[in-house]
Amino acid sequence: KGNSKGNKVRVLSSYKNLLKQKGTSEKFNCFLVYDYSRRSGQYTMNHDHSKKTPDGASFDRSGSQDSLDELSMDDYWKELENIHETRGNNHEERVALVVKEPDEGELEEEWLKEAGLSNLFGEGSGDSLESMLFLSTLTRTQKAAVEKRVETVTQTMRKKNKQHQIPDVRDIFRLQNDSKGKVCDGSEPSTVRTSENKNETQDGTKGPKFSLGTDEQKSPLEDMPFSDTDINLEISFAEQAANLKDSSVGKMCKGGGGDTLLPNFRLPKDKTGTTKIGDLAPQDMKKVYSLALIELTALYDILGTEFKQQKAVKIKTKDSGLFGVPLSVLLEQDQKKVPGTKIPLIFQKLIAQIEEATLETEGLLRIPGVATRVKSLCQELEAKFYEGTFNWENVKQHDAASLLKLFIRELPQPLLTVEYLKAFQDVQNLPTKKQQLQALNLLVLLLPEANRDTLKVLLEFLQRVIDHRDRNKMTLKNVAMVMAPNLFTFHGFGSKTIEQSEFVMAAGTANVMRFMIQYQKLLWTIPKFIVNQVRKQNTESQKKEKKDKAMKKLLKKMAYDREKHEKQEKTPNDADVPQGVIRVQAPHLSKVSMAIQLTEELKARDIVARFLSQKSGNVQTLKKEEVFLYEIGGNIGERCLDDNTYMKDLYQLNPNAEWVIKSKQS
């Protein structure tokens, strides 16, 4: 009855339940298809009994289809309708982004560049020791992902440049294996064959398949009992997927759309400390980005899901203002006003304005502001925000919420980026909820810093709204429904991709939005296996440097000069510390140095507490949450430790590190 999409969702639910009551044992293959005419604003329902579910992809998968009958989609459709009305009232025409369709091999070539492996193809192929070191630290599935892309690029280059001699991808990996001797986990290399390889050389003759250089020994960690709700960060996600692919353990835990039905995923305690985004130095974060891209691609390869980065043709954007301005431009403006700003000031202010009233307002975020008033406020903000003359007392709470959503929608490139927006949407297609969460974790690591920081503040705000659900009636489901259209239906791409499968996309993106809100604390964690790979890269790089004869000579001379200098000026505090003792530096505190005896139970928080207990000087003005213990050097650039890090375990992992107490700002 009527044109309410929510009503038709309930019809679908009733139809399925009716079949169940009738004792129908066959799979439910009847789809209700909705066709939306933007001219008439009408939705028509069609029955299509001819569609068959693809192999293994029916309602047994944890994609959006499984929860269509349990998620009330009313909020989503109402929000989408409000967005269309807002855009209809805005007479300013926006230039749509054009997503470039890559040529054959171009996508893989761009992928290799993003992964920092451009040396694996072209004239310099195989010449870079840095790339060889990088490859030596990859897992079996990660190497298979790299191998697949290198082979595609190599084949494409051969077709385009028949007159040139293109290095064979097999030679690249053979060189890497020979130079390494062992793979990153210490096991002896052996030949591993993948389904993508053909048992033929490029000229069509029979030839050996090249070695990936790993057949990893079973790690002791794999014997550890992990429950279905434990997120194992010790082992590569793709390796886990490969091990569980044909196992009953890998089956999804089905759940509907209610708040309480999402699995209670948790991170088992790590004695060497959990690493969050922002805890590592920039040089190590670059390595994390490359590894996360390769790992995500390997995970998608194992699960049989296509992963493609998209590229947008550059368009002219506003170089000043608030709405419709790139994040980078906004932050450049804001940092002139407030140095060190990482979140757009207007974004922060809109959230503060919403919270200033109360988060207990019923329908918060769901009920839109008055369209004409929101448009007027938007224009006034553009003119007066940076001058400091805008009167915030006149901004009603629902108007501020509409402005916040407008800010997100009007970004010239989506908050989740052009490159990865589709990848975020496609998370719903992965077989299990755990794998969906793992993919989201890796995608967050791939976002630019400004996008990632802004998304984090948004998700934290949405969780605070949900915390008041008893009063505001905004549950996790409601908030996800309202926010999904604002993050995922990016108008810059045009409406073609949205209209093709609007109903399926709606439920799917709403489910992804629920995951991002519910598990946001997990999403900002850097998996331990990636941190360990960064450590291995740093270690291997240091080994290569030591092998260089010129460097050895220089180091020898420096060591001689340093030893001579230390003999002359060594003080008792600088004396070599005994075994099992570390020296912690705190240059900004009154107690600048302290020798700490390592014990089994000593944690990072205990060391910080010892320094802060020295009640003198500027220590009195410092709070515990402002200072942290850092691990610096050795096999890591710099890492801020969480409070629960067991220092003896970490010391054994990185005995050459220095230990410094400082604030994150310093």
Side-chain angles (χ1 to χ4, degrees), residues 98-130:
V98 179
V99 178
K100 183 181 177 183
E101 291 294 332
D103 298 330
E104 183 183 6
E106 188 175 89
L107 188 68
E108 287 76 8
E109 187 173 327
E110 187 64 31
W111 184 92
L112 287 166
K113 288 179 180 177
E114 286 287 318
L117 294 170
S118 56
N119 292 99
L120 295 184
F121 61 89
E123 294 180 0
S125 177
D127 292 339
S128 173
L129 286 176
E130 186 177 350

mmCIF file of all heavy atoms in Angstrom, residues 98-130:
data_model
loop_
_atom_site.group_PDB
_atom_site.id
_atom_site.type_symbol
_atom_site.label_atom_id
_atom_site.label_comp_id
_atom_site.label_asym_id
_atom_site.label_seq_id
_atom_site.Cartn_x
_atom_site.Cartn_y
_atom_site.Cartn_z
ATOM 1 N N VAL A 98 34.607 11.968 -12.567
ATOM 2 C CA VAL A 98 34.636 10.935 -13.594
ATOM 3 C C VAL A 98 35.632 9.874 -13.165
ATOM 4 O O VAL A 98 36.815 10.146 -12.994
ATOM 5 C CB VAL A 98 35.045 11.514 -14.967
ATOM 6 C CG1 VAL A 98 35.100 10.405 -16.010
ATOM 7 C CG2 VAL A 98 34.069 12.605 -15.395
ATOM 8 N N VAL A 99 35.132 8.670 -12.940
ATOM 9 C CA VAL A 99 36.009 7.574 -12.566
ATOM 10 C C VAL A 99 36.605 6.970 -13.820
ATOM 11 O O VAL A 99 35.893 6.522 -14.708
ATOM 12 C CB VAL A 99 35.234 6.496 -11.769
ATOM 13 C CG1 VAL A 99 36.155 5.338 -11.430
ATOM 14 C CG2 VAL A 99 34.652 7.103 -10.505
ATOM 15 N N LYS A 100 37.920 6.982 -13.886
ATOM 16 C CA LYS A 100 38.617 6.513 -15.080
ATOM 17 C C LYS A 100 38.645 4.994 -15.125
ATOM 18 O O LYS A 100 38.976 4.330 -14.155
ATOM 19 C CB LYS A 100 40.051 7.053 -15.076
ATOM 20 C CG LYS A 100 40.846 6.692 -16.320
ATOM 21 C CD LYS A 100 42.254 7.252 -16.227
ATOM 22 C CE LYS A 100 43.081 6.843 -17.435
ATOM 23 N NZ LYS A 100 44.474 7.322 -17.333
ATOM 24 N N GLU A 101 38.276 4.446 -16.280
ATOM 25 C CA GLU A 101 38.365 3.010 -16.494
ATOM 26 C C GLU A 101 39.798 2.669 -16.906
ATOM 27 O O GLU A 101 40.263 3.115 -17.951
ATOM 28 C CB GLU A 101 37.391 2.566 -17.593
ATOM 29 C CG GLU A 101 35.932 2.673 -17.197
ATOM 30 C CD GLU A 101 35.564 1.725 -16.078
ATOM 31 O OE1 GLU A 101 36.219 0.659 -15.976
ATOM 32 O OE2 GLU A 101 34.650 2.041 -15.301
ATOM 33 N N PRO A 102 40.512 1.890 -16.116
ATOM 34 C CA PRO A 102 41.918 1.608 -16.423
ATOM 35 C C PRO A 102 42.069 0.689 -17.628
ATOM 36 O O PRO A 102 41.204 -0.145 -17.919
ATOM 37 C CB PRO A 102 42.418 0.917 -15.151
ATOM 38 C CG PRO A 102 41.199 0.316 -14.546
ATOM 39 C CD PRO A 102 40.065 1.225 -14.893
ATOM 40 N N ASP A 103 43.169 0.867 -18.348
ATOM 41 C CA ASP A 103 43.495 -0.019 -19.465
ATOM 42 C C ASP A 103 43.991 -1.350 -18.910
ATOM 43 O O ASP A 103 44.223 -1.501 -17.711
ATOM 44 C CB ASP A 103 44.577 0.609 -20.348
ATOM 45 C CG ASP A 103 44.106 1.915 -20.977
ATOM 46 O OD1 ASP A 103 42.893 2.030 -21.217
ATOM 47 O OD2 ASP A 103 44.951 2.797 -21.192
ATOM 48 N N GLU A 104 44.171 -2.312 -19.800
ATOM 49 C CA GLU A 104 44.668 -3.621 -19.401
ATOM 50 C C GLU A 104 46.042 -3.488 -18.756
ATOM 51 O O GLU A 104 46.951 -2.903 -19.318
ATOM 52 C CB GLU A 104 44.752 -4.546 -20.621
ATOM 53 C CG GLU A 104 45.187 -5.960 -20.280
ATOM 54 C CD GLU A 104 45.332 -6.837 -21.522
ATOM 55 O OE1 GLU A 104 45.194 -6.302 -22.636
ATOM 56 O OE2 GLU A 104 45.600 -8.029 -21.364
ATOM 57 N N GLY A 105 46.186 -4.001 -17.588
ATOM 58 C CA GLY A 105 47.459 -3.964 -16.874
ATOM 59 C C GLY A 105 47.704 -2.668 -16.123
ATOM 60 O O GLY A 105 48.567 -2.622 -15.241
ATOM 61 N N GLU A 106 46.949 -1.617 -16.449
ATOM 62 C CA GLU A 106 47.172 -0.326 -15.803
ATOM 63 C C GLU A 106 46.788 -0.373 -14.328
ATOM 64 O O GLU A 106 47.459 0.222 -13.480
ATOM 65 C CB GLU A 106 46.357 0.750 -16.526
ATOM 66 C CG GLU A 106 46.639 2.160 -16.068
ATOM 67 C CD GLU A 106 45.891 3.192 -16.888
ATOM 68 O OE1 GLU A 106 44.748 3.515 -16.514
ATOM 69 O OE2 GLU A 106 46.434 3.672 -17.894
ATOM 70 N N LEU A 107 45.700 -1.076 -14.036
ATOM 71 C CA LEU A 107 45.248 -1.198 -12.657
ATOM 72 C C LEU A 107 46.302 -1.882 -11.794
ATOM 73 O O LEU A 107 46.624 -1.433 -10.691
ATOM 74 C CB LEU A 107 43.943 -1.989 -12.618
ATOM 75 C CG LEU A 107 43.230 -2.058 -11.264
ATOM 76 C CD1 LEU A 107 42.695 -0.692 -10.875
ATOM 77 C CD2 LEU A 107 42.087 -3.064 -11.319
ATOM 78 N N GLU A 108 46.860 -2.996 -12.305
ATOM 79 C CA GLU A 108 47.885 -3.729 -11.561
ATOM 80 C C GLU A 108 49.159 -2.904 -11.411
ATOM 81 O O GLU A 108 49.832 -2.951 -10.382
ATOM 82 C CB GLU A 108 48.195 -5.058 -12.252
ATOM 83 C CG GLU A 108 47.114 -6.122 -12.114
ATOM 84 C CD GLU A 108 45.918 -5.871 -13.016
ATOM 85 O OE1 GLU A 108 46.002 -4.947 -13.857
ATOM 86 O OE2 GLU A 108 44.917 -6.590 -12.892
ATOM 87 N N GLU A 109 49.487 -2.154 -12.458
ATOM 88 C CA GLU A 109 50.682 -1.304 -12.403
ATOM 89 C C GLU A 109 50.528 -0.231 -11.326
ATOM 90 O O GLU A 109 51.454 0.043 -10.555
ATOM 91 C CB GLU A 109 50.904 -0.656 -13.770
ATOM 92 C CG GLU A 109 52.209 0.113 -13.875
ATOM 93 C CD GLU A 109 52.473 0.601 -15.297
ATOM 94 O OE1 GLU A 109 52.078 -0.102 -16.249
ATOM 95 O OE2 GLU A 109 53.079 1.676 -15.441
ATOM 96 N N GLU A 110 49.328 0.377 -11.280
ATOM 97 C CA GLU A 110 49.064 1.389 -10.260
ATOM 98 C C GLU A 110 49.086 0.763 -8.867
ATOM 99 O O GLU A 110 49.572 1.364 -7.910
ATOM 100 C CB GLU A 110 47.697 2.033 -10.527
ATOM 101 C CG GLU A 110 47.376 3.224 -9.640
ATOM 102 C CD GLU A 110 48.315 4.390 -9.872
ATOM 103 O OE1 GLU A 110 48.800 4.570 -11.005
ATOM 104 O OE2 GLU A 110 48.575 5.124 -8.883
ATOM 105 N N TRP A 111 48.574 -0.456 -8.777
ATOM 106 C CA TRP A 111 48.569 -1.168 -7.489
ATOM 107 C C TRP A 111 49.992 -1.385 -6.995
ATOM 108 O O TRP A 111 50.295 -1.186 -5.815
ATOM 109 C CB TRP A 111 47.840 -2.508 -7.673
ATOM 110 C CG TRP A 111 47.677 -3.305 -6.413
ATOM 111 C CD1 TRP A 111 46.626 -3.272 -5.555
ATOM 112 C CD2 TRP A 111 48.596 -4.266 -5.869
ATOM 113 N NE1 TRP A 111 46.829 -4.154 -4.509
ATOM 114 C CE2 TRP A 111 48.028 -4.775 -4.669
ATOM 115 C CE3 TRP A 111 49.842 -4.750 -6.276
ATOM 116 C CZ2 TRP A 111 48.665 -5.740 -3.894
ATOM 117 C CZ3 TRP A 111 50.475 -5.706 -5.485
ATOM 118 C CH2 TRP A 111 49.888 -6.192 -4.321
ATOM 119 N N LEU A 112 50.883 -1.820 -7.881
ATOM 120 C CA LEU A 112 52.276 -2.061 -7.495
ATOM 121 C C LEU A 112 52.958 -0.771 -7.057
ATOM 122 O O LEU A 112 53.769 -0.766 -6.125
ATOM 123 C CB LEU A 112 53.035 -2.711 -8.655
ATOM 124 C CG LEU A 112 52.677 -4.180 -8.925
ATOM 125 C CD1 LEU A 112 53.214 -4.622 -10.279
ATOM 126 C CD2 LEU A 112 53.213 -5.078 -7.821
ATOM 127 N N LYS A 113 52.623 0.332 -7.717
ATOM 128 C CA LYS A 113 53.193 1.617 -7.314
ATOM 129 C C LYS A 113 52.707 2.000 -5.923
ATOM 130 O O LYS A 113 53.484 2.464 -5.084
ATOM 131 C CB LYS A 113 52.812 2.701 -8.327
ATOM 132 C CG LYS A 113 53.525 2.585 -9.664
ATOM 133 C CD LYS A 113 53.076 3.680 -10.618
ATOM 134 C CE LYS A 113 53.785 3.566 -11.965
ATOM 135 N NZ LYS A 113 53.306 4.591 -12.932
ATOM 136 N N GLU A 114 51.394 1.811 -5.676
ATOM 137 C CA GLU A 114 50.830 2.131 -4.366
ATOM 138 C C GLU A 114 51.458 1.266 -3.276
ATOM 139 O O GLU A 114 51.632 1.707 -2.144
ATOM 140 C CB GLU A 114 49.312 1.912 -4.382
ATOM 141 C CG GLU A 114 48.523 2.960 -5.140
ATOM 142 C CD GLU A 114 48.461 4.280 -4.403
ATOM 143 O OE1 GLU A 114 48.261 4.261 -3.175
ATOM 144 O OE2 GLU A 114 48.644 5.320 -5.048
ATOM 145 N N ALA A 115 51.787 0.035 -3.628
ATOM 146 C CA ALA A 115 52.384 -0.888 -2.656
ATOM 147 C C ALA A 115 53.887 -0.664 -2.498
ATOM 148 O O ALA A 115 54.530 -1.363 -1.712
ATOM 149 C CB ALA A 115 52.115 -2.331 -3.072
ATOM 150 N N GLY A 116 54.442 0.289 -3.240
ATOM 151 C CA GLY A 116 55.870 0.565 -3.143
ATOM 152 C C GLY A 116 56.735 -0.452 -3.856
ATOM 153 O O GLY A 116 57.902 -0.632 -3.517
ATOM 154 N N LEU A 117 56.160 -1.119 -4.882
ATOM 155 C CA LEU A 117 56.880 -2.181 -5.591
ATOM 156 C C LEU A 117 57.005 -1.880 -7.081
ATOM 157 O O LEU A 117 57.012 -2.785 -7.909
ATOM 158 C CB LEU A 117 56.159 -3.521 -5.393
ATOM 159 C CG LEU A 117 56.156 -4.056 -3.954
ATOM 160 C CD1 LEU A 117 55.230 -5.246 -3.829
ATOM 161 C CD2 LEU A 117 57.565 -4.430 -3.517
ATOM 162 N N SER A 118 57.113 -0.599 -7.437
ATOM 163 C CA SER A 118 57.233 -0.239 -8.847
ATOM 164 C C SER A 118 58.532 -0.751 -9.458
ATOM 165 O O SER A 118 58.651 -0.860 -10.679
ATOM 166 C CB SER A 118 57.149 1.288 -9.015
ATOM 167 O OG SER A 118 58.134 1.929 -8.225
ATOM 168 N N ASN A 119 59.508 -1.094 -8.617
ATOM 169 C CA ASN A 119 60.778 -1.629 -9.122
ATOM 170 C C ASN A 119 60.646 -3.051 -9.652
ATOM 171 O O ASN A 119 61.590 -3.583 -10.239
ATOM 172 C CB ASN A 119 61.845 -1.616 -8.017
ATOM 173 C CG ASN A 119 62.251 -0.212 -7.620
ATOM 174 O OD1 ASN A 119 61.768 0.289 -6.620
ATOM 175 N ND2 ASN A 119 63.097 0.427 -8.400
ATOM 176 N N LEU A 120 59.499 -3.669 -9.467
ATOM 177 C CA LEU A 120 59.325 -5.045 -9.924
ATOM 178 C C LEU A 120 58.927 -5.141 -11.396
ATOM 179 O O LEU A 120 58.777 -6.231 -11.917
ATOM 180 C CB LEU A 120 58.267 -5.757 -9.071
ATOM 181 C CG LEU A 120 58.614 -5.947 -7.591
ATOM 182 C CD1 LEU A 120 57.537 -6.751 -6.907
ATOM 183 C CD2 LEU A 120 59.967 -6.614 -7.421
ATOM 184 N N PHE A 121 58.723 -4.009 -12.046
ATOM 185 C CA PHE A 121 58.418 -4.042 -13.476
ATOM 186 C C PHE A 121 59.131 -2.883 -14.157
ATOM 187 O O PHE A 121 59.584 -1.945 -13.524
ATOM 188 C CB PHE A 121 56.903 -3.959 -13.722
ATOM 189 C CG PHE A 121 56.267 -2.692 -13.214
ATOM 190 C CD1 PHE A 121 56.186 -1.566 -14.009
ATOM 191 C CD2 PHE A 121 55.759 -2.626 -11.925
ATOM 192 C CE1 PHE A 121 55.599 -0.402 -13.539
ATOM 193 C CE2 PHE A 121 55.176 -1.471 -11.445
ATOM 194 C CZ PHE A 121 55.098 -0.355 -12.257
ATOM 195 N N GLY A 122 59.230 -2.961 -15.453
ATOM 196 C CA GLY A 122 59.904 -1.918 -16.213
ATOM 197 C C GLY A 122 61.398 -2.162 -16.316
ATOM 198 O O GLY A 122 61.905 -3.234 -16.003
ATOM 199 N N GLU A 123 62.099 -1.121 -16.730
ATOM 200 C CA GLU A 123 63.532 -1.266 -16.999
ATOM 201 C C GLU A 123 64.334 -1.556 -15.735
ATOM 202 O O GLU A 123 65.351 -2.229 -15.774
ATOM 203 C CB GLU A 123 64.061 0.008 -17.660
ATOM 204 C CG GLU A 123 63.463 0.246 -19.049
ATOM 205 C CD GLU A 123 64.015 1.519 -19.676
ATOM 206 O OE1 GLU A 123 64.843 2.190 -19.032
ATOM 207 O OE2 GLU A 123 63.623 1.827 -20.813
ATOM 208 N N GLY A 124 63.873 -1.052 -14.604
ATOM 209 C CA GLY A 124 64.619 -1.268 -13.360
ATOM 210 C C GLY A 124 64.204 -2.520 -12.625
ATOM 211 O O GLY A 124 64.540 -2.694 -11.461
ATOM 212 N N SER A 125 63.471 -3.378 -13.298
ATOM 213 C CA SER A 125 62.952 -4.574 -12.640
ATOM 214 C C SER A 125 64.074 -5.437 -12.075
ATOM 215 O O SER A 125 65.035 -5.756 -12.747
ATOM 216 C CB SER A 125 62.128 -5.393 -13.636
ATOM 217 O OG SER A 125 61.678 -6.577 -13.054
ATOM 218 N N GLY A 126 63.924 -5.803 -10.815
ATOM 219 C CA GLY A 126 64.883 -6.708 -10.174
ATOM 220 C C GLY A 126 66.132 -6.035 -9.661
ATOM 221 O O GLY A 126 66.975 -6.672 -9.048
ATOM 222 N N ASP A 127 66.248 -4.699 -9.879
ATOM 223 C CA ASP A 127 67.480 -4.024 -9.479
ATOM 224 C C ASP A 127 67.429 -3.478 -8.052
ATOM 225 O O ASP A 127 68.451 -3.153 -7.481
ATOM 226 C CB ASP A 127 67.777 -2.859 -10.440
ATOM 227 C CG ASP A 127 68.128 -3.357 -11.829
ATOM 228 O OD1 ASP A 127 68.519 -4.531 -11.930
ATOM 229 O OD2 ASP A 127 68.001 -2.577 -12.781
ATOM 230 N N SER A 128 66.243 -3.344 -7.524
ATOM 231 C CA SER A 128 66.118 -2.681 -6.235
ATOM 232 C C SER A 128 66.263 -3.666 -5.077
ATOM 233 O O SER A 128 65.452 -4.571 -4.905
ATOM 234 C CB SER A 128 64.769 -1.965 -6.131
ATOM 235 O OG SER A 128 64.582 -1.462 -4.840
ATOM 236 N N LEU A 129 67.300 -3.452 -4.259
ATOM 237 C CA LEU A 129 67.472 -4.284 -3.071
ATOM 238 C C LEU A 129 66.359 -4.025 -2.069
ATOM 239 O O LEU A 129 65.935 -4.920 -1.343
ATOM 240 C CB LEU A 129 68.834 -3.993 -2.432
ATOM 241 C CG LEU A 129 70.061 -4.552 -3.152
ATOM 242 C CD1 LEU A 129 71.326 -4.087 -2.449
ATOM 243 C CD2 LEU A 129 70.013 -6.064 -3.218
ATOM 244 N N GLU A 130 65.871 -2.780 -2.061
ATOM 245 C CA GLU A 130 64.806 -2.425 -1.134
ATOM 246 C C GLU A 130 63.552 -3.250 -1.409
ATOM 247 O O GLU A 130 62.904 -3.751 -0.487
ATOM 248 C CB GLU A 130 64.490 -0.931 -1.256
ATOM 249 C CG GLU A 130 63.488 -0.444 -0.230
ATOM 250 C CD GLU A 130 63.252 1.056 -0.323
ATOM 251 O OE1 GLU A 130 64.009 1.738 -1.047
ATOM 252 O OE2 GLU A 130 62.309 1.534 0.323
#
